[in-house]
Amino acid sequence: MDLRTDGARSRHARRADTRDGGSGWKAGIRLGTFATMPSAHDKIIARAAKATLQPLGLRRKGQSRLWIGDHGWWLAIVEFQPSGFSKGSYLNVAAHWLWSDKGYISFDLGSGADWDSRAADFEEYQSDEQFEEAGNRLAVIASEEIRELAARLPSIEATADLLLSHEKSTRGGGSWSTYNAGIAAGLCGRAEEAAAMLRSVTDARVRDAVDRYVSLTSDLTRFRELVLSQIASQREALRLTALRSPPL
């Protein structure tokens, strides 16, 4: 994935290059590192996002530029990403699979056709009036991308089809995207495909995650229990509301 960022570390969120989904490095966002947003352009973004994203069920994470839609087993992520050099914002939109147990948010499936999370390039702040228009434009793009993303992921079955198809058509990357396809397949009872995906992971960074599951593809009840346990742990790490019933 080409994040096309300026490589800066935001004062609003600490970003870490973390996961290779087969097409490049992904950005991870560690929570608990957000600062307040007192500047004029930050307030403009917050107002535009609230008016456009809150009606879709997304909620702002503290005083950050991050908005989250909770789907139980995955999150819809909108990030109005700052630059370290100019006032303004990029726009990133992606899904995050909650069977991760890393304690941070990764962009696992971008909203773009090529799975890129970058939904809009940098809009620079020049004046309040000018940036009101730019901020509203970014918020509208975000809402459109979120709707399209949700339409692609109506169920775990549809998600498994999507992830497996991508891995097969691209021959996979043997990394996180392959692992995610394997987890989704296992949750749908597709044991052979789950095992094939997990065994084809070659990235050493993913092996610890794979090793938890690969032996359980012959016992999908235990496989599912482990996934649900990891979802609960990740939700707790991200300070999400506890669920009253299993999300899957």
Side-chain angles (χ1 to χ4, degrees), residues 15-208:
R15 301 171 63 82
D17 292 330
T18 55
R19 294 187 170 189
D20 184 344
S23 56
W25 287 94
K26 294 187 178 181
I29 301 175
R30 299 183 185 276
L31 302 186
T33 59
F34 299 108
T36 57
M37 302 197 309
S39 65
H41 73 292
D42 287 327
K43 293 177 181 178
I44 290 170
I45 291 172
R47 286 197 301 270
K50 181 178 181 179
T52 306
L53 299 180
Q54 192 164 289
L56 299 180
L58 279 76
R59 295 294 180 265
R60 186 180 177 187
K61 193 67 178 176
Q63 295 299 304
S64 73
R65 290 187 176 195
L66 192 69
W67 288 74
I68 296 176
D70 190 346
H71 293 264
W73 52 274
W74 68 278
L75 301 179
I77 305 298
V78 174
E79 182 195 23
F80 297 92
Q81 181 192 343
S83 166
F85 302 106
S86 302
K87 292 181 179 180
S89 183
Y90 298 92
L91 176 64
N92 300 317
V93 180
H96 168 69
W97 312 128
L98 283 167
W99 51 69
S100 165
D101 63 349
K102 298 296 185 180
Y104 54 75
I105 293 173
S106 52
F107 298 157
D108 297 320
L109 173 64
S111 62
D114 57 356
W115 292 26
D116 190 358
S117 61
R118 178 56 48 77
D121 289 327
F122 190 70
E123 292 276 5
E124 185 174 2
Y125 171 86
Q126 298 171 359
S127 68
D128 285 4
E129 182 179 1
Q130 167 267 334
F131 201 66
E132 286 277 2
E133 181 178 345
N136 287 332
R137 182 165 56 248
L138 289 176
V140 168
I141 293 172
S143 69
E144 294 170 348
E145 295 291 312
I146 283 294
R147 288 189 181 96
E148 291 180 11
L149 190 62
R152 294 166 70 186
L153 308 172
S155 65
I156 187 60
E157 291 78 14
T159 300
D161 287 342
L162 178 66
L163 300 186
L164 289 166
S165 175
H166 178 268
E167 291 303 298
K168 293 172 183 177
S169 65
T170 62
R171 297 184 179 180
S175 190
W176 286 108
S177 64
T178 311
Y179 165 80
N180 289 327
I183 297 298
L187 287 170
C188 295
R190 298 159 71 168
E192 291 185 4
E193 289 173 290
M197 286 291 110
L198 294 172
R199 287 172 182 155
S200 66
V201 171
T202 57
D203 190 333
R205 296 166 299 177
V206 192
R207 289 308 312 176
D208 285 346

Side-chain angles (χ1 to χ4, degrees), residues 231-244:
I231 289 174
S233 295
Q234 180 72 343
R235 292 185 63 86
E236 182 177 2
L238 298 180
R239 305 170 193 170
L240 301 173
T241 302
L243 299 177
R244 295 183 178 180

